Amino acid sequence: MQNAHQSALTAKHMKLDQQISSEAQRPLPDQMLIAQLKKEKLRLKEELGR
């Protein structure tokens, strides 16, 4: 059960990484959105570390 949970968290982490990357590539990136996505990504990373 734990592995499925970790896999889901890893998938979300990778998706957030892609969203941050694509937002940063836009001509006028939304810095607030990027900051929000990075916070969520960090939270997931901390949860994965447990």
Side-chain angles (χ1 to χ4, degrees), residues 30-46:
D30 183 346
Q31 294 301 325
M32 293 295 288
L33 177 61
I34 290 173
Q36 182 182 1
L37 292 172
K38 284 183 176 182
K39 280 183 191 173
E40 180 67 17
K41 186 178 159 191
L42 180 60
R43 190 186 67 74
L44 286 173
K45 185 177 179 180
E46 288 172 352

Side-chain angles (χ1 to χ4, degrees), residues 5-6 8-10 15-16 22 28 33-34 41-42 48:
H5 183 65
Q6 281 186 319
L9 290 177
T10 302
K15 186 176 180 194
L16 284 169
S22 67
L28 293 171
L33 177 61
I34 290 173
K41 186 178 159 191
L42 180 60
L48 278 168

